[in-house]
Amino acid sequence: LDRIEALAERLPGLRFIPCLSDRFDGAPDSCEKGLVTDVVERLLGADIGDHDAYLCGPPPMIDASLPLLERHGLTDRQQIFYDKFTQS
């Protein structure tokens, strides 16, 4: 987290918001709690369409995020970029 936060400090347009579906002992206070789709909608609301989205994670998370982003006007491969992590 420290490395990504340091990168965000150097890139003025980057906003890094760590999100955990469940809290655990030792979780940083800066982490939002909840499903990533709920956190994004809560924090960005109607402004989601004003951003590009870069997603990485398990396929179910990506698959759940795409309809939310598309509802707010983002277009796959133009404003939505993702990498689905799968087991090798």
Side-chain angles (χ1 to χ4, degrees):
L1 290 177
D2 293 339
R3 292 175 69 191
I4 296 172
E5 288 171 352
L7 180 63
E9 289 175 11
R10 293 193 319 253
L11 298 171
L14 175 64
R15 182 177 175 197
F16 173 62
I17 304 166
C19 173
L20 299 170
S21 55
D22 289 308
R23 284 268 185 207
F24 63 90
D25 290 339
D29 292 336
S30 62
C31 287
E32 293 287 331
K33 181 179 182 261
L35 296 177
V36 68
T37 49
D38 296 337
V39 171
V40 167
E41 196 153 37
R42 182 176 72 243
L43 295 178
L44 295 179
D47 293 335
I48 293 172
D50 295 338
H51 301 276
D52 290 339
Y54 294 85
L55 313 167
C56 57
M61 184 199 77
I62 303 297
D63 294 341
S65 299
L66 293 175
L68 165 72
L69 298 170
E70 291 167 351
R71 270 197 318 273
H72 286 275
L74 276 72
T75 307
D76 189 10
R77 297 189 181 169
Q78 292 180 1
Q79 294 168 291
I80 303 171
F81 309 92
Y82 57 87
D83 184 8
K84 294 181 180 183
F85 293 169
T86 58
Q87 294 180 348
S88 54

